[in-house]
Amino acid sequence: MNHKKHICIIVDCLCGGGAEKVAASFSFSLEKAGYRVSIISLWNKINYNYTGKLYNLGKNEPRIKWYKQLKKTLLFRKYYKQINADYYVDFRMRNRFLMELILHLFVFKIKKMVMSVQHYNIAYHIPKGRFFKDEYSRAKAIIGVSKDVKRALIEYHSFKNVKYLPNFVNRSLLEISKSPLLDIPSNSILAIGRLKNSVKQFDKLILSYKNTRSCVDGVPLIILGDGPDKSKLEDLIEIHDLQGKVKLLGFVSNPFDYITHCKFLVLCSKFEGMPLVILESLALGTPVVSFNCKSGPSELIQHKVNGLLVKNQDFKELELSIDLLVADKDLYNKLKKSTINSIEEFTGEKVIKSWETIFNY
């Protein structure tokens, strides 16, 4: 088969997070558009479906830390050269200074690198220092996944090679089971994300939910995800006697059954990038209640059209918005009717064309 170009996707893993799911979905869009696809994964955590040839650096890792890092770096260098892609799109967290320095000095060909910045907190993706500012300035492109991320990249680093390319959803990958979910009521409120309170604020969500009329009336709150604060959330639920109302169901690689089954999705993060979970929810016809945090929700949610956009970090308003969407059936039905068509420009078919302008420039 004659391919347009060879694109290699670089990820920390293919499990757990939104950026990793975006990368996995990206592999299908690239292949459909006629590109040859390879993937380099640093960790042996592979749960998401993907396509292309996978180079898994996390298999058979040594136990000795320094030897593990050395072996992984040498293997990374070997595979990078062996793949010899036209371009490498890097979705990783890149905030470890020494690791990134080694990769830039001994592995990467910077002119072939496309650096995806998935968070409004851009320090997650760009290490400090003049060296990295110069390196990123020479990359093929730096991708801001929201308009605010793009703006921050230009404002704080004065990069000239920044492109706005939003995260997107592949509708063909949203697999829905034919078997109904019997373990949770269909009027449930849903939240999805890594259980890290400093970012996702599930602890504050639980306390806000406790103050709602919806909680008093027995409308359940379902939380999907895993992470370092799981035990803290379990303790919080027990302390406030919410065991029968708040359910922590762990990480679910295919959350789409829950999204379609529950009444609406709620997001109360401190910051985001371009939240894939909002895109997936709207693509499946489920309205969203979200803080207008930096960044992404305001690009996806039209207030009282396909969801409710809540003043950033105003948990009292969040409580009122949850109760409003539970109680007001006319408003809920209006929002639900507008969800699917509202994200047309954030589909793989649309966004991949913008990616092609970078690969072909």
Side-chain angles (χ1 to χ4, degrees):
M1 180 178 178
N2 294 322
H3 296 93
K4 293 179 180 177
K5 280 185 170 68
H6 186 179
I7 308 299
C8 180
I9 299 167
I10 304 175
V11 292
D12 287 314
C13 62
L14 290 172
C15 170
E20 291 77 17
K21 185 180 279 191
V22 168
S25 178
F26 186 45
S27 70
F28 287 99
S29 292
L30 286 172
E31 183 180 72
K32 185 177 180 181
Y35 293 88
R36 180 183 173 191
V37 181
S38 297
I39 302 174
I40 297 176
S41 176
L42 271 66
W43 307 334
N44 186 28
K45 297 179 181 179
I46 313 295
N47 282 340
Y48 295 138
N49 292 329
Y50 66 90
T51 190
K53 185 171 182 179
L54 176 66
Y55 296 80
N56 188 344
L57 306 187
K59 282 187 174 181
N60 305 316
E61 289 186 336
R63 293 185 178 182
I64 302 172
K65 187 175 181 180
W66 70 265
Y67 181 52
K68 178 177 72 174
Q69 293 301 326
L70 176 61
K71 181 182 177 182
K72 186 173 285 189
T73 302
L74 293 175
L75 198 57
F76 199 154
R77 189 167 185 260
K78 174 186 174 182
Y79 287 153
Y80 190 97
K81 287 185 173 182
Q82 182 179 321
I83 292 167
N84 192 29
D86 292 288
Y87 296 108
Y88 298 79
V89 183
D90 193 346
F91 285 87
R92 296 176 305 120
M93 298 280 279
R94 299 183 294 270
N95 56 350
R96 293 182 293 171
F97 182 90
L98 183 57
M99 174 70 172
E100 294 308 309
L101 183 63
I102 291 170
L103 291 177
H104 279 266
L105 289 176
F106 299 108
V107 179
F108 294 160
K109 293 181 179 179
I110 196 62
K111 294 290 187 181
K112 289 187 171 188
M113 297 300 297
V114 179
M115 318 303 275
S116 178
V117 178
Q118 289 282 326
H119 293 270
Y120 183 72
N121 185 350
I122 58 178
Y124 282 173
H125 292 282
I126 305 178
K128 294 180 181 179
R130 184 72 194 183
F131 172 81
F132 288 104
K133 183 174 182 178
D134 291 344
E135 278 287 281
Y136 276 57
S137 295
R138 296 190 300 110
K140 176 65 176 177
I142 305 169
I143 305 302
V145 296
S146 74
K147 293 175 182 177
D148 283 324
V149 170
K150 177 185 177 182
R151 194 175 297 116
L153 286 165
I154 295 172
E155 180 179 341
Y156 294 119
H157 293 286
S158 302
F159 291 130
K160 306 295 184 185
N161 54 343
V162 179
K163 305 291 183 182
Y164 165 63
L165 283 176
N167 287 340
F168 60 88
V169 63
N170 276 330
R171 290 193 175 115
S172 61
L173 300 180
L174 303 179
E175 299 177 358
I176 308 300
S177 171
K178 293 182 180 179
S179 302
L181 291 171
L182 302 177
D183 55 340
I184 59 172
S186 60
N187 67 337
S188 299
I189 301 163
L190 181 66
I192 304 175
R194 181 166 167 77
L195 304 186
K196 187 174 182 180
N197 292 331
S198 61
V199 178
K200 301 298 184 181
Q201 304 190 123
F202 287 129
D203 53 343
K204 294 181 180 179
L205 173 61
I206 290 171
L207 294 175
S208 292
Y209 162 79
K210 181 176 180 287
N211 293 331
T212 64
R213 180 71 195 178
S214 304
C215 177
V216 174
D217 291 343
V219 178
L221 172 63
I222 309 298
I223 299 176
L224 304 182
D226 207 347
D229 291 327
K230 182 178 180 180
S231 61
K232 291 180 181 178
L233 295 175
E234 289 172 338
D235 291 342
L236 186 67
I237 291 168
E238 185 175 354
I239 289 169
H240 292 276
D241 196 25
L242 293 170
Q243 296 94 323
K245 296 181 177 180
V246 180
K247 303 293 184 182
L248 301 179
L249 299 186
F251 171 74
V252 177
S253 60
N254 182 349
F256 309 132
D257 288 340
Y258 289 91
I259 293 174
T260 55
H261 184 76
C262 290
K263 192 173 182 68
F264 61 87
L265 179 87
V266 61
L267 185 143
C268 64
S269 300
K270 185 170 288 186
F271 55 84
E272 286 283 346
M274 174 61 77
L276 182 62
V277 68
I278 293 181
L279 275 168
E280 290 176 338
S281 184
L282 295 175
L284 290 168
T286 301
V288 180
V289 176
S290 174
F291 277 151
N292 186 13
C293 64
K294 297 289 186 179
S295 64
S298 64
E299 294 182 40
L300 303 175
I301 299 173
Q302 303 166 56
H303 186 58
K304 291 193 174 182
V305 175
N306 61 353
L308 299 179
L309 202 56
V310 180
K311 183 179 178 182
N312 193 20
Q313 306 307 307
D314 189 333
F315 282 90
K316 184 61 181 176
E317 185 178 333
L318 183 69
E319 295 167 15
L320 296 173
S321 298
I322 288 172
D323 280 341
L324 176 63
L325 209 51
V326 169
D328 192 331
K329 293 181 180 179
D330 290 338
L331 174 62
Y332 176 79
N333 290 331
K334 174 191 172 185
L335 302 186
K336 192 169 179 65
K337 287 179 181 177
S338 301
T339 51
I340 295 175
N341 291 334
S342 69
I343 50 92
E344 188 62 35
E345 64 181 290
F346 299 99
T347 59
E349 294 78 6
K350 296 282 186 179
V351 178
I352 199 67
K353 292 179 181 178
S354 297
W355 275 99
E356 291 199 80
T357 63
I358 294 175
F359 298 146
N360 296 325
Y361 176 71

